[in-house]
Amino acid sequence: MLASEGRASYYSQRFHGKRTASGERFSVQDFTAAHRTLPFGTTVRVTNLDNGREVIVRINDRGPYLRSRIIDVSPAAARELGLLGRGTASVRIVAVN
């Protein structure tokens, strides 16, 4: 599968319960993410290049809107990746399905 590298950030808690671009409701507890072009339902491995931590997320939204970022992950995924507090990190994303 094709990999890409760039900056990742995470969703604010204020989006909890709101509808995503795919139509489902966003949950801060789910392992989901926003990507500009990958099809909804695509499963992606996100690796934090700063600490080596990985997480698998499912694409269910569009974004991020800041052009300097390649993916926005949910707070649950951000916690696993070690993004909380820092806000962003260098990541590699690889579609796994």
Side-chain angles (χ1 to χ4, degrees), residues 40-83:
F40 295 137
T42 301
T43 304
V44 177
R45 177 183 299 111
V46 182
T47 304
N48 183 333
L49 298 176
D50 298 328
N51 62 19
R53 293 168 76 170
E54 295 181 346
V55 68
I56 301 291
V57 296
R58 182 177 46 81
I59 303 300
N60 73 338
D61 203 6
R62 291 292 170 230
Y65 296 104
L66 290 177
R67 300 309 283 173
S68 61
R69 300 190 184 150
I70 63 168
I71 195 166
D72 278 337
V73 299
S74 67
R79 187 177 313 104
E80 293 295 315
L81 288 167
L83 263 76

Side-chain angles (χ1 to χ4, degrees), residues 11 18-24 35 40 60-63 65:
Y11 283 88
K18 299 200 187 235
R19 293 228 181 251
T20 65
S22 68
E24 63 185 84
H35 190 274
F40 295 137
N60 73 338
D61 203 6
R62 291 292 170 230
Y65 296 104

